[in-house]
Amino acid sequence: MVIWGIDIQITKSNRKTVSIYVERDGTVAALVPEYLTDEEVIEVIKTKEYQIHKNLAQWTQLNEAKVEREYVSGQSFMYLGRNYRLRLVDEKLGEVKLKNGYFLLSRQEKLKAKELFVEFYKSKLKEKIWPIIERYKGQLGVKPQELKIMELQNRWASCTLKGNVNFHWKCAMAPIDVLNYIVVHELAHIIHPNHSSEFWNTVDKVMANYDSQIKWLRMNGAGMDL
């Protein structure tokens, strides 16, 4: 649906309110009550013009401000929704460590700092995500198969038709509440391999406040990088 020259992706679901988001790639998506006609959807979205343009402006600002982090003492790196400063140390560690409120990295290993940070995030995410999967798979009645932590480009996670679930290592930067949402989102795809109203209804049944988690990802996603 194109309004004001903006292509807005509409998804109808069993909900009472309209929620509008700017996706990571800059596209606009709207979740609307399924009982609304197309004409009513247009009218409601027109009342959200200020919000849509504001969200697009925020997305543009966030992405313009995106910079690659430098691996120097004092640079901040995110983990589970909090920022921790990096401290370069003289001893050889062979890994990135989080200790006493600081990320520790050996000066000798600075050239492979990104690789070591990615390994840190992969390892920590695997530890954190298993209990979350165990918690929600029963509520959703699904049996996920293989779990992988990997590079997924612009996606936070993905689910295959066989029920394998993949998570971007960057998810380790998100708060636990947001990580819970990402897990629920992918487990729901085992039931509904799409973003239909049935899919969003399934997510809503186990996580009624998922809108706030989506908003956090929209606002902070650009900064979750190395």
Side-chain angles (χ1 to χ4, degrees):
M1 181 179 293
V2 179
I3 304 177
W4 318 299
I6 302 172
D7 187 5
I8 302 176
Q9 299 176 5
I10 306 297
T11 299
K12 293 186 176 182
S13 64
N14 183 21
R15 56 188 292 121
K16 296 180 180 179
T17 59
V18 174
S19 295
I20 299 176
Y21 310 102
V22 178
E23 302 285 359
R24 292 186 71 193
D25 60 1
T27 59
V28 179
L31 300 178
V32 303
E34 59 187 0
Y35 59 79
L36 293 180
T37 65
D38 288 346
E39 291 75 17
E40 289 172 329
V41 169
I42 292 173
E43 290 304 311
V44 171
I45 288 179
K46 283 183 176 179
T47 67
K48 305 284 187 179
E49 181 178 6
Y50 173 78
Q51 177 188 342
I52 291 172
H53 286 289
K54 179 182 177 181
N55 289 348
L56 281 171
Q58 288 175 336
W59 179 87
T60 301
Q61 184 178 16
L62 286 170
N63 282 273
E64 284 179 347
K66 179 181 176 182
V67 295
E68 289 191 9
R69 289 177 168 84
E70 297 182 16
Y71 300 98
V72 296
S73 289
Q75 175 69 69
S76 65
F77 292 83
M78 192 179 294
Y79 174 57
L80 295 182
R82 292 184 56 190
N83 282 300
Y84 298 88
R85 295 195 179 278
L86 176 63
R87 178 177 289 173
L88 297 180
V89 297
D90 292 328
E91 63 265 32
K92 189 171 183 179
L93 301 175
E95 61 181 341
V96 166
K97 291 185 177 182
L98 182 57
K99 185 176 181 181
N100 299 325
Y102 286 90
F103 276 116
L104 302 181
L105 172 69
S106 172
R107 298 181 193 278
Q108 304 171 52
E109 297 164 326
K110 188 176 176 181
L111 291 179
K112 57 177 183 178
K114 182 172 182 178
E115 175 186 338
L116 294 176
F117 261 101
V118 170
E119 288 304 314
F120 170 87
Y121 287 126
K122 283 183 176 180
S123 174
K124 293 299 182 182
L125 183 59
K126 201 160 192 176
E127 291 177 9
K128 298 293 182 181
I129 216 161
W130 267 120
I132 298 175
I133 290 175
E134 289 295 319
R135 173 186 173 186
Y136 286 110
K137 73 178 186 181
Q139 293 186 42
L140 289 165
V142 297
K143 294 182 179 180
Q145 302 301 311
E146 188 178 359
L147 164 67
K148 288 184 179 180
I149 310 297
M150 58 197 296
E151 171 69 48
L152 286 172
Q153 301 299 323
N154 288 325
R155 290 179 295 172
W156 295 117
S158 65
C159 177
T160 71
L161 293 176
K162 294 182 179 180
N164 298 330
V165 285
N166 307 310
F167 296 91
H168 200 306
W169 54 264
K170 291 181 183 179
C171 290
M173 299 183 188
I176 288 294
D177 286 349
V178 175
L179 190 53
N180 285 341
Y181 161 70
I182 295 172
V183 169
V184 169
H185 187 113
E186 294 313 316
L187 294 185
H189 275 314
I190 296 178
I191 306 171
H192 306 289
N194 49 50
H195 287 110
S196 63
S197 61
E198 289 81 8
F199 167 83
W200 290 110
N201 289 340
T202 298
V203 173
D204 187 67
K205 286 178 182 177
V206 296
M207 185 171 287
N209 67 334
Y210 69 88
D211 282 1
S212 61
Q213 315 311 333
I214 293 176
K215 183 177 180 180
W216 191 95
L217 286 170
R218 298 289 183 270
M219 298 301 296
N220 297 276
M224 294 166 66
D225 210 344
L226 293 176

